[in-house]
């Protein structure tokens, strides 16, 4: 295989569903581009660790790596944790850090896919209010991005779209569900803007108890896999800063 190795960097979780979902997404990426070598590393809780994968690649003689954060917003992990781990990589590696996944029209397409799989149809859009439920962050930039996505998604024809957060920020999912009920939406759906199951997605699900529809997490949706490849390709362009020797 020619070209850089794509290293997908996931957060990790004590919840076994998280790693299974990450691996399923990576397998879909491999199936979409068989000639690309794709590896997975975790920041915490799961193995292999990011550092372990980088050391193994260097030992094999690999020179070029694209490190792709499996994150939907540029919050603390993308700005601090991941660059810190990459700076500890073996010196022989040339590492390019790709952009986080969001925002992207492909993610909106994946969100709609999950809502339709949960029972809605395009004909339901104008009468359905949607809660865009994210994990939450203390980073104001990340929170602003979620609000912007909600506004953009509303303009595609939904009755209303409200952002909600499982932690760090307000409103909570249950609050947004009640607000959409008060607005008079005929039905309310919750769309988790998260990549894999875990503690915070479970909190979103509990907050969706008063909704009519709860979609699945984005997981290995084909649109998400295509987005990973787009971020990889953009990182391979020569204008990006290279970390390391």
């Amino acid at each position: 295989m020619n070209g850089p190795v794509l290293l997908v960097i996931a957060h990790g979780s004590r919840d076994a569903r998280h790693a299974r979902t990450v691996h399923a997404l990576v397998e879909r990426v491999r199936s979409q581009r068989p000639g690309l070598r794709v590896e997975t590393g975790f920041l915490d809780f799961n193995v292999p660790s990011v550092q372990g994968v980088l050391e193994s690649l260097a030992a094999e003689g690999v020179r070029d790596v694209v490190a792709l954060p499996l994150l939907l917003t540029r919050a603390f992990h993308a700005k601090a944790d991941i660059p810190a781990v990459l700076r500890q990589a073996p010196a022989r590696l040339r590492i390019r850090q790709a952009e986080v996944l969001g925002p992207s029209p492909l993610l909106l397409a994946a969100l709609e896919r999950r809502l339709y799989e949960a029972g809605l149809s395009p004909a339901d859009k104008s009468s359905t209010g949607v809660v865009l439920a994210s994990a939450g962050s203390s980073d104001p930039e990340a929170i602003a991005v979620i609000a912007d996505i909600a506004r953009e998604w509303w303009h595609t024809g939904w009755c209303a779209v409200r952002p909600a957060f499982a932690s760090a920020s307000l409103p909570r999912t249950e609050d947004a569900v009640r607000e959409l009920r008060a607005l008079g939406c005929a039905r309310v759906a919750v769309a988790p803007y998260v990549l894999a199951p875990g503690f915070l997605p479970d909190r979103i699900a509990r907050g969706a108890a008063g909704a009519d529809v709860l979609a699945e997490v984005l997981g290995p949706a084909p649109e998400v896999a295509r987005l990973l490849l787009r971020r990889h390709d953009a990182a391979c362009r020569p204008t990006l800063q290279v970390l390391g020797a």
Side-chain angles (χ1 to χ4, degrees):
M1 298 182 184
N2 297 320
V5 172
L6 173 57
L7 172 58
V8 177
I9 300 178
H11 182 273
S13 172
R14 292 186 178 90
D15 189 320
R17 297 172 298 166
H18 176 91
R20 286 199 300 268
T21 303
V22 170
H23 290 309
L25 173 58
V26 169
E27 282 303 316
R28 189 176 284 274
V29 172
R30 291 183 179 124
S31 71
Q32 290 190 6
R33 191 172 296 179
L36 175 65
R37 179 175 176 182
V38 187
E39 300 292 340
T40 308
F42 296 91
L43 291 173
D44 206 354
F45 301 117
N46 301 105
V47 292
S49 68
V50 175
Q51 187 67 24
V53 174
L54 291 171
E55 290 173 358
S56 294
L57 291 173
E60 288 179 33
V62 170
R63 289 285 291 162
D64 294 297
V65 176
V66 170
L68 197 161
L70 198 59
L71 300 169
L72 296 174
T73 60
R74 276 188 51 78
F76 181 79
H77 294 304
K79 295 176 178 178
D81 283 354
I82 291 175
V85 171
L86 297 181
R87 283 193 294 269
Q88 298 171 16
R92 67 171 289 112
L93 293 177
R94 293 181 297 217
I95 302 175
R96 303 167 188 262
Q97 182 175 332
E99 290 296 324
V100 298
L101 299 182
S104 168
L106 282 171
L107 291 174
L108 290 181
L111 286 165
E112 294 207 357
R113 170 189 290 276
R114 293 302 189 225
L115 286 171
Y116 297 151
E117 289 171 350
L120 295 179
S121 73
D124 296 322
K125 290 185 74 168
S126 63
S127 58
T128 302
V130 179
V131 178
L132 179 67
S134 77
S137 172
S138 58
D139 188 311
E141 177 188 350
I143 297 304
V145 166
I146 300 301
D148 288 344
I149 293 169
R151 282 191 292 270
E152 178 183 350
W153 202 15
W154 170 57
H155 287 303
T156 68
W158 295 99
C159 174
V161 180
R162 294 290 185 271
F165 307 95
S167 68
S169 305
L170 296 173
R172 295 287 184 253
T173 302
E174 52 268 33
D175 300 325
V177 168
R178 284 193 291 268
E179 181 183 352
L180 291 172
R181 291 280 187 216
L183 282 174
C185 298
R187 68 185 63 78
V188 175
V190 174
Y193 190 62
V194 293
L195 287 164
F199 176 75
L200 293 178
D202 283 349
R203 182 179 288 177
I204 290 171
R206 290 193 297 272
D212 302 295
V213 173
L214 171 62
E216 292 293 328
V217 299
L218 294 170
E223 296 86 356
V224 179
R226 287 203 299 274
L227 182 54
L228 264 69
L229 290 170
R230 285 192 185 180
R231 295 291 185 256
H232 163 271
D233 294 345
C236 288
R237 293 171 192 152
T239 54
L240 218 73
Q241 179 182 3
V242 178
L243 304 176

